[in-house]
Amino acid sequence: MKKCGISISEIRHFIDLCMAGDITLDARYNLLKQEEAVKDQIKILQDQLDFLHYKMWYFKTSLEAGTEAIHFTQTDEGMRVDPDIHEQYEKELQNCHDIGELVNIEKEYQQEKKQSN
């Protein structure tokens, strides 16, 4: 219950209600209405995971190319990350059946790296 965002005092109250028996079923049910809070937590975690996957893809493709410059473009302020880079990632993500293929560096790449060192 604590992992669902229910406070210790609410858990204590819930236990007291349980001890009181069936007369408190409605109150116990209402106390457990934490669905929106859990959905909010899931949304936050999903956003964090999506960002992490994007950054993993960015650096995976940079490692495979041997340079981060593949994601840069010339601007008036100098070389900057291409403003369309996130769109490129989204397109690749839509065509991907397994996120691992998109964000994980293959064992072959790691072996090649070890051999070149």
Side-chain angles (χ1 to χ4, degrees), residues 2 11 14 17 22 38 42 65 67 76 78 99 102 108-109:
K2 186 176 178 184
I11 294 171
F14 183 84
L17 291 172
D22 287 347
V38 172
I42 290 169
T67 179
D76 293 339
I99 191 72
L102 191 63
E108 294 172 12
Y109 171 80

Side-chain angles (χ1 to χ4, degrees), residues 1-104:
M1 293 176 78
K2 186 176 178 184
K3 290 181 182 180
C4 291
I6 299 173
S7 70
I8 299 296
S9 63
E10 289 173 315
I11 294 171
R12 280 191 204 114
H13 179 62
F14 183 84
I15 292 169
D16 290 340
L17 291 172
C18 290
M19 301 301 287
D22 287 347
I23 197 167
T24 65
L25 286 173
D26 188 52
R28 287 184 271 166
Y29 175 82
N30 288 329
L31 189 63
L32 293 174
K33 289 185 179 176
Q34 300 293 321
E35 189 172 1
E36 288 305 312
V38 172
K39 284 181 181 180
D40 291 344
Q41 291 173 359
I42 290 169
K43 171 80 170 100
I44 290 167
L45 290 172
Q46 186 62 56
D47 290 347
Q48 291 171 344
L49 182 60
D50 291 346
F51 178 77
L52 180 63
H53 283 162
Y54 163 70
K55 290 306 247 181
M56 290 172 71
W57 168 82
Y58 177 95
F59 287 106
K60 175 192 175 205
T61 53
S62 297
L63 283 165
E64 289 173 340
T67 179
E68 189 177 357
I70 63 166
H71 298 301
F72 287 27
T73 189
Q74 185 65 44
T75 69
D76 293 339
E77 294 86 30
M79 294 299 285
R80 298 282 190 253
V81 173
D82 188 334
D84 297 328
I85 192 70
H86 205 273
E87 289 177 24
Q88 294 171 22
Y89 168 73
E90 289 294 329
K91 285 179 186 175
E92 287 194 37
L93 184 60
Q94 288 174 0
N95 296 326
C96 165
H97 298 299
D98 176 9
I99 191 72
E101 294 175 5
L102 191 63
V103 300
N104 294 330

